[in-house]
Amino acid sequence: MLKDLFYRRRQYATLGTAAEPKPVQKPPEVVERDVPKGLVQKCEACGNLLMAKELQKHVYTCPECNFHFRVDARTRVELTLDAGTFVEIGAGITSTNPLGFPEYETKLAKAQSATGMAEGALAGKGEIDGMPVVMAVMDPGFMMGSMGSAVGEKLTRAMERACVERKPLILFTASGGARMQEAILSLMQMAKTSVALRRMHECGVLFVSVITHPTTGGVSASFASLGDIIIAEPGAMFGFAGRRVVEQTMRQKLPDDFQTAEFNLKHGMVDKVVHRKQMRDALAAIVRIHTARGWADAD
């Protein structure tokens, strides 16, 4: 019995020793390094990671899924016009706060600081393949591309210059609609720009409207839809009210591609969908045909 008890005590002691936990080794310290801002960008559609140089090489489109990244107005000018030919029109035009809307000046200052632009549109003269044109671009980064009185004035001056000098007008749209801080003054820009385009039409001057993502609200309901030729980038949203509002109003389920450039092409609202890589060549061809037929010099 003593031997048996002694044996068990040894056995328990051995088991206890074997079960003692081993010291935990700390994993090697991971050194986190910040990736410089703007060096890598993730595709919103497929999740592909793109280096900034690669993205620029593909004119800010994803080589995997052809998703078109948003670009600012100055980059759009660089991608479209001949280098060094752009001369800005109405550079000093900026918004004020005519209705005394709270904190509007602060929002304008933040947008100006973030984009380096005085307002949400850029207009001027330049050349595309050596052919003179007037070009205007709306910037989606400036208060969501909203249209206030200053934006309307800049676009109208571009239209008037095109009419006087009989040069084709190329206008890239990108907007969330009228700027709420300016209320009725913003909505008046729809009529103002439409009248200016009517005068252009009477002068026989070509107007090419290029739809980029997104083009909605009052912009889509006015000058964006009045082009002699309407081109859109792939996947660009083009419509007046949002999908949810339209579904609630119509009380029916809408197609998955509703309001996309491809949907509008299918239903006659757009003449052609053009990839950004071919956009400059397509616009140059349109201007060349227009100039060759002498429309710009017609009485």
Side-chain angles (χ1 to χ4, degrees), residues 237-289:
M237 180 183 179
F238 180 35
F240 181 66
R243 180 190 185 94
R244 179 174 54 84
V245 174
V246 177
E247 283 187 333
Q248 290 176 350
T249 302
M250 298 180 65
R251 299 177 183 275
Q252 66 181 39
K253 178 71 175 175
L254 297 170
D256 292 337
D257 64 346
F258 179 67
Q259 291 185 329
T260 62
E262 293 75 13
F263 179 89
N264 282 290
L265 176 65
K266 194 184 304 180
H267 291 81
M269 290 295 294
V270 167
D271 295 307
K272 193 172 183 62
V273 176
V274 179
H275 194 284
R276 191 176 293 163
K277 290 182 179 180
Q278 285 82 48
M279 184 64 74
R280 173 182 157 85
D281 291 340
L283 292 172
I286 291 171
V287 173
R288 189 175 294 109
I289 294 170

Side-chain angles (χ1 to χ4, degrees), residues 71-75 115-117 119-122 137-146 151 172-175:
V71 295
D72 60 68
R74 297 195 184 280
T75 300
T115 62
M117 292 181 57
E119 251 301 333
L122 182 67
V137 187
M138 301 186 74
D139 196 312
F142 196 107
M143 296 185 69
M144 296 181 67
S146 56
V151 169
F172 286 82
T173 62
S175 178

Side-chain angles (χ1 to χ4, degrees), residues 25-41:
Q25 294 183 350
K26 293 184 179 180
E29 185 177 351
V30 178
V31 179
E32 294 184 0
R33 292 183 173 86
D34 292 332
V35 177
K37 187 178 181 181
L39 183 64
V40 178
Q41 197 156 347

Side-chain angles (χ1 to χ4, degrees), residues 51-122:
M51 299 295 290
K53 288 185 178 180
E54 183 183 7
L55 191 61
Q56 187 176 7
K57 175 184 174 183
H58 291 280
V59 290
Y60 305 97
T61 63
C62 178
E64 296 294 327
C65 68
N66 280 327
F67 174 78
H68 283 50
F69 290 81
R70 294 183 188 181
V71 295
D72 60 68
R74 297 195 184 280
T75 300
R76 185 75 68 175
V77 169
E78 292 172 3
L79 294 175
T80 307
L81 299 182
D82 300 344
T85 64
F86 182 75
V87 178
E88 190 173 355
I89 297 171
I93 299 174
T94 58
S95 291
T96 58
N97 190 3
L99 304 180
F101 198 93
E103 300 182 3
Y104 185 29
E105 292 95 339
T106 303
K107 290 184 178 180
L108 283 171
K110 286 182 179 179
Q112 290 167 349
S113 176
T115 62
M117 292 181 57
E119 251 301 333
L122 182 67

